[in-house]
C-alpha cells in the first residue's frame, strides 16, 4: 500500500540549495544557439546511466509535437531515459508535419551523440506557437550543450528554459531515511510571459533514489495533483505543458512500500516550491493567493470550487484592489456547480470572518482590507455542506499589467 | 410539434421603437426612492389583466432572496402574474432571513395595492450583495411607481433597472402573422458595472400574443439558450440573474402549433438585441466579439468550445490589443475538453484564414490585424472533427479598464 504513510515517519525532508543537479548522477547544461534573440535557449539533462523516467503531459487536445513525441518515447522505452533536451523561444506547436519531424530529428541527434536509442531521449519546447523550430539551430545548441555538461550545470539549465519568467525557478531537498539520504531537485518555467503566445508550464524533477518507472510515475502523478495542477495564473492550459521526472538511483536508497512516503514528501517539497514560485511570478501578479476550500462532500468538489474561485476575474481583481469582497467569493463558489449551502457557508479572509451562517459581518471589512495589503494572502471558503473534504489552489491577482502584457501586438 | 417551423414562413418580424410597453396591455413606471444615491431605482411592470408569465433563474447555488421568491410565486400561481417589481442599487443577496422577509413583504405590498394574491407578484433585485434592502424605501418606491404607471412608461422602467450600465437597453418587435400582428418588447440590464459587487443580468420581455404559460416558458427557454445564455463578459454568473416574460394576449393573436415559430422569432429578435447590447456595454469593453465554432459532433460540444474561447483571458487580451493570435484560439479550443483534431482544425479571423489543416498562414497576420481594429469582430474556429454542429457566443475584449473598474475598493 504505497499510498499509506507509515504511522511513525522514519524520514525527514530538508531543503538544500541547488536544482536538478543536486541529486547524484546528473549532469546538465544551458547554452545559447540563437532560437531566442538573446539569452540561453537550450537545456540538456543527462543522467550518468539510464534513469527511470516518468512524465505527465498537457490535457490540451492541441498537443505540441514535443509533447506527443516524449509521451511516445516514455511508452516505447518503458520509462528509461538517457537525456532530456529542452528549448525555449519556440514551442514547436501547431507546426504540422514539419514540427513532428524536427522534434523527432532533435531526439535522434542527441541519441546518436550519446549512443542510445532515440526513444531514450525526451524533448520539451516552450515559446511562440505556430513558428517552425529551426533544426540547424537546435543541432548547434545540442553540440554546445553536450560540451558544456557539468555536474553543477543545473542553474544554467534553469536559465535556459526561461521565456520571460522574471527569475529562474529551482530548488532541491535532501530526504533522510533509515536507508540513508537521497535527494530531489527540480526546475520549472512558468507563465511569466511578456512575449505573447508563450504560456507554458514546464517542470523537471531529478532524484537519486532507486525507483522503478511505474512507482516514479505514481509518485509524480500524486504530487503533481496537489502542486503543479493546483496552481492557476489565468486558467489557460498550454499546448506544451509537461512535468518530467528522472531517478538515477545513485544515492543507493531504494524506494519500496516503506520508503515510498519519503519519496512523496521529497517530491512534494520540490514541486510545491516550484509551483508556488510559478504563481508568484505570474504575469502582472502582485500577490500570491492561497484559496482554501473546506466543507465539501469529496475532494473533487472542493477542488472544483477552489479552482472556480481561483480563476474568477471578479475575485482576482478585488484582491488586486485590496477589496475584501466576500460577495464575489460566495458568488464564485455558488456558480461552481458543486453542492453549496448558503445558510451554512462561510468566508474568512486571513484571520477575519466576513460571512458565516448566512450572515455578513461587514463591520470587519476594514480589518480584512488591511490584511489584503500584504503580498501573501490566504482565503478560506467553507461550502456549508458539512462535508469533511478540502482542497487548496494557489493563484495570483489580476492586474492591468496582465492585460498590458498580453494585449501587446507581437512584434 | 411547436419546435418545428413550418416549411413556408407565414410570418415576418419587424423591429420597432420602444421597449416593454410596446406590446398592448402593459403599463410601466420607473421612479426614485433613495436606494441608489441618485437616479431611478424602482421599476414596475403591470399588465392590464393577469398575464401569462414565465421565468428563468440563475443556476448559481447562492440564489438571492428575490430569485427564490419569484421562482416560488411562478410555481404557486401556475404562471399567472399581475406585476413585476424591480429595484436597482441593492441585490438583496446573502442577506439571510431578513432578506427573504423583505422580498416577501415587497410582493405583499404590491399585491395589496393591486388587489391580487402575493404569488401573482414577481420581484427582482440588482446591486450590492450582502446589504439589507430597506423595506421603507421600497414601500415608498412602490407607491410612487403605482401613481406613475403609464402605457408608455417602458423607457423609465429601463432606466430604473440600470446599475452602472452606460445606457438603458430596450427594444421591441412587431410580428406579422396570418392572424394579424403581435408585439414583443424587452429591456435588460447588464454587466456595465462600476460599483463593485454588481454583476447581475436581468431581462424582462413582454408580449401581447395570447400564449399559455407552459408554451411561453418553452419559447423563453429556447430563445434564452441562444441569446442571454450565449453571452459572456467575464464568465461570472450572478446570484440574481433572471429573465422574466409576460404575455397579455391583447393583440388577439393566439399562439398555437402553427404560430409558435412566429413567437420564437419575435422573442429571438428582442432577446438577441438585448443580449448583444449587454456584451457591447460590458465592463471596459471596446469590442463586440462573435465567436462561431463549427465542426462539432453535437451542439453541446460546439457551445462548450465557444464558451471556453469566449472566456479565455489570453484570447480576450489579444483581441483587445488587435493581435490576430490564432495560437491562443487553438489552445483554448484544445483545452475545452471537447473532441478536437489539430490536423483538420481551422481559425478564421474576419475574412482571413490564419490556420488550416494543421498549417499556419502567418503571412496573413497583418491583414487580420487590420480587421481587428474594428469595433465588431467575428472569429470562426472549426474543431476539425468533421461534425455538422455549430454554436455562437458573444463576448467582449478584456481591457485594463475592466481591471480598474473591478479592483477599486468599495467606498
Amino acid at each position: 500500500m504505497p499510498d499509506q504513510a507509515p504511522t511513525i515517519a522514519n524520514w525527514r525532508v530538508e531543503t538544500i540549495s541547488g536544482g536538478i543537479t543536486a541529486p547524484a548522477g546528473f549532469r546538465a547544461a544551458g547554452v545559447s544557439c540563437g532560437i531566442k534573440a538573446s539569452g540561453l535557449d537550450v537545456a540538456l539533462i543527462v543522467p550518468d546511466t539510464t534513469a527511470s523516467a516518468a512524465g505527465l503531459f498537457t490535457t490540451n487536445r492541441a498537443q505540441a509535437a514535443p509533447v506527443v513525441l516524449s509521451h511516445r518515447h516514455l511508452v516505447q522505452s518503458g520509462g528509461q531515459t538517457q537525456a532530456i533536451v529542452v528549448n525555449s523561444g519556440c514551442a514547436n506547436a501547431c507546426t504540422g508535419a514539419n514540427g513532428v519531424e524536427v522534434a523527432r530529428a532533435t531526439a535522434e541527434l542527441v541519441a546518436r551523440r550519446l549512443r542510445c536509442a532515440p526513444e531514450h531521449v525526451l524533448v520539451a519546447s516552450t515559446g511562440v506557437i505556430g513558428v517552425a523550430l529551426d533544426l540547424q539551430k537546435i543541432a548547434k545548441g545540442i553540440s554546445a550543450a553536450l560540451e558544456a555538461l557539468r555536474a553543477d550545470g543545473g542553474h544554467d539549465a534553469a536559465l535556459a528554459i526561461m521565456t520571460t519568467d522574471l527569475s529562474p525557478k529551482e530548488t532541491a531537498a535532501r530526504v533522510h531515511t533509515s536507508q540513508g539520504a537521497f535527494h530531489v531537485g527540480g526546475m520549472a518555467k512558468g507563465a511569466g510571459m511578456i512575449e505573447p503566445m508563450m504560456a507554458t508550464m514546464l517542470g523537471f524533477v531529478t532524484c537519486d533514489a532507486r525507483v522503478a518507472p511505474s512507482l516514479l510515475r505514481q509518485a509524480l502523478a500524486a504530487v503533481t495533483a496537489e502542486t503543479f495542477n493546483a496552481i492557476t495564473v489565468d486558467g489557460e492550459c498550454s499546448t506544451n505543458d509537461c512535468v518530467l521526472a528522472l531517478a538515477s538511483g545513485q544515492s543507493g536508497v531504494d524506494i519500496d512500500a516503506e520508503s515510498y512516503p519519503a519519496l512523496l514528501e521529497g517530491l512534494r517539497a520540490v514541486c510545491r516550491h516550484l509551483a508556488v514560485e510559478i504563481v508568484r511570478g505570474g504575469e502582472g501578479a502582485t500577490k500570491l493567493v492561497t484559496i482554501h476550500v473546506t466543507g465539501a462532500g469529496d475532494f473533487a468538489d472542493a477542488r472544483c470550487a477552489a479552482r472556480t474561485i481561483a480563476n474568477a476575474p471578479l475575485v482576482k481583481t478585488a484582491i488586486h484592489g485590496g477589496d475584501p469582497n466576500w460577495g464575489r467569493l460566495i458568488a464564485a463558489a455558488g456558480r461552481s456547480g458543486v453542492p453549496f449551502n448558503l445558510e451554512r457557508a462561510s468566508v474568512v479572509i486571513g484571520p477575519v470572518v466576513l460571512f458565516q451562517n448566512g450572515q455578513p459581518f461587514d463591520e470587519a471589512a476594514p480589518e480584512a482590507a488591511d490584511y489584503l495589503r500584504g503580498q501573501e494572502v490566504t482565503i478560506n471558503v467553507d461550502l456549508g455542506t458539512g462535508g469533511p473534504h478540502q482542497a487548496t489552489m494557489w493563484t495570483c491577482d489580476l492586474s492591468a499589467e496582465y492585460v498590458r502584457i498580453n494585449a501587446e501586438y507581437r512584434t
Side-chain angles (χ1 to χ4, degrees), chain A residues 44-179:
Chain A
L44 190 63
I45 311 172
V46 177
D48 295 345
T49 56
T50 308
S52 290
L56 297 170
F57 301 95
T58 182
T59 56
N60 197 308
R61 300 208 189 197
Q63 290 191 330
V67 167
V68 174
L69 187 80
S70 291
H71 190 210
R72 190 188 307 147
H73 281 186
L74 275 174
V75 172
Q76 289 173 336
S77 69
Q80 299 294 325
T81 292
Q82 189 52 59
I84 301 176
V85 56
V86 193
N87 74 277
S88 56
C90 173
N92 194 11
C94 304
T95 43
N98 174 260
V100 175
E101 178 50 30
V102 173
R104 202 194 55 71
T106 301
E108 206 155 83
L109 270 172
V110 175
R112 204 176 307 144
R113 296 287 298 269
L114 293 175
R115 297 165 200 272
C116 68
E119 60 264 31
H120 289 168
V121 179
L122 306 180
V123 295
S125 299
T126 178
V128 181
I129 295 180
V131 172
L133 180 59
D134 187 326
L135 185 58
Q136 287 194 300
K137 284 183 183 170
I138 196 101
K140 200 182 102 192
I142 287 166
S143 289
L146 284 163
E147 296 292 322
L149 280 175
R150 289 204 326 252
D152 62 351
H155 186 66
D156 286 350
L159 291 170
I161 64 172
M162 291 167 66
T163 49
T164 47
D165 300 69
L166 298 172
S167 57
K169 295 162 185 72
E170 57 177 342
T171 189
R174 179 174 292 127
V175 186
H176 302 271
T177 76
S178 54
Q179 288 181 52

Side-chain angles (χ1 to χ4, degrees), chain A residues 203-240:
Chain A
F204 303 93
V205 184
T206 54
C207 173
D208 54 16
R210 189 176 300 126
V211 49
S214 59
L215 202 57
L216 183 61
R217 192 180 189 290
Q218 181 181 331
L220 187 66
V223 167
T224 296
E226 54 184 82
T227 57
F228 292 121
N229 282 348
I231 62 173
T232 182
V233 169
D234 53 15
E236 300 273 13
C237 158
S238 148
T239 51
N240 290 53

Side-chain angles (χ1 to χ4, degrees), chain A residues 356-369:
Chain A
Q356 199 164 46
N357 293 332
Q359 293 301 327
F361 295 92
D362 259 346
E363 63 281 8
E367 191 188 342

